[in-house]
Amino acid sequence: MARMKFLCDADRCIECNACVTACKNENEVPWGINRRRVVTINDGKPGERSVSMACMHCTDAPCAAVCPVSCIFSTDDGVVLHSKDLCIGCGYCFYACPFGAPQYPKVSNFGSRGKMDKCTYCAGGGGSEVPGSIEEYNKLEGKLPLCAEMCSTKSLLAGDGEIIAQIYKERVIKRGYGSGAWGWITAYREDIAV
């Protein structure tokens, strides 16, 4: 079975924030919450890179591991979802997630911030269809999350993890990075002795 994943190609991202806007508009995300955000490293300096960040739908999600009421769960295709009916707003998932995906809807004192919110991979909810129904499945079948659909440079890839890994591998080979794409020389520059 396919495992749904996101991958952002930092060499293509132009920090346009179309993914952020598409997510907020499609999911009617409340003010103060960003299910997706663009992070820029070395802003304004040589080597600047931007990456679109959201829930990465981890295979062994740390947010799900620490949830005391088990409201965070994975679907059969690897999408990590959150049940607001069960959530108690304790914030453990917020601290456990390395990507900062779960967020409180309000900024206030502990206990009055509300229930957590996170990326749903556009896997349902929000429409007139009953969640988990055949109608909802038929509406969403074959569609990418809107953040990936709206990416003008196609830097944000979404879908089956194996397929997007193959697409990214082909991009890296075409750019000419060759075997040094993930190695010591690329990470620490060629002038450092190994």
Side-chain angles (χ1 to χ4, degrees):
M1 171 155 271
R3 302 273 317 164
M4 298 298 147
K5 298 291 180 186
F6 281 118
L7 189 144
C8 185
D9 185 346
D11 286 336
R12 284 187 170 209
C13 183
I14 59 172
E15 196 183 358
C16 68
N17 285 299
C19 54
V20 176
T21 305
C23 178
K24 284 190 82 67
N25 289 341
E26 176 69 10
N27 297 297
E28 298 176 11
V29 178
W31 181 259
I33 294 178
N34 286 323
R35 289 183 178 177
R36 178 164 291 284
R37 65 195 176 286
V38 177
V39 177
T40 302
I41 301 164
N42 293 331
D43 196 11
K45 299 175 185 170
E48 175 182 312
R49 292 283 189 269
S50 296
V51 180
S52 180
M53 297 287 294
C55 177
M56 300 307 272
H57 301 280
C58 304
T59 302
D60 188 18
C63 58
V66 299
C67 182
V69 293
S70 301
C71 71
I72 299 175
F73 59 95
S74 292
T75 63
D76 292 339
D77 51 2
V79 177
V80 178
L81 296 176
H82 171 259
S83 171
K84 286 193 178 184
D85 293 336
L86 296 174
C87 182
I88 59 173
C90 67
Y92 289 170
C93 56
F94 173 79
Y95 293 108
C97 177
F99 305 105
Q103 295 183 22
Y104 284 109
K106 299 176 195 166
V107 177
S108 64
N109 295 331
F110 183 78
S112 60
R113 296 182 223 170
K115 297 181 179 192
M116 300 307 275
D117 187 79
K118 67 175 282 308
C119 168
T120 63
Y121 205 83
C122 292
S128 60
E129 300 83 10
V130 175
S133 68
I134 287 293
E135 293 82 17
E136 182 182 58
Y137 177 78
N138 290 337
K139 176 180 141 187
L140 299 169
E141 184 180 21
K143 294 184 180 178
L144 289 175
L146 199 61
C147 56
E149 288 270 355
M150 296 304 292
C151 182
S152 60
T153 61
K154 300 301 176 208
S155 65
L156 183 58
L157 301 173
D160 182 351
E162 292 179 17
I163 294 171
I164 63 172
Q166 184 61 36
I167 291 169
Y168 187 68
K169 180 180 177 183
E170 290 170 10
R171 286 181 182 180
V172 169
I173 291 170
K174 188 174 181 179
R175 288 180 195 142
Y177 296 156
S179 61
W182 306 106
W184 180 273
I185 293 170
T186 303
Y188 296 102
R189 301 198 177 92
E190 292 183 41
D191 56 344
I192 296 176
V194 179

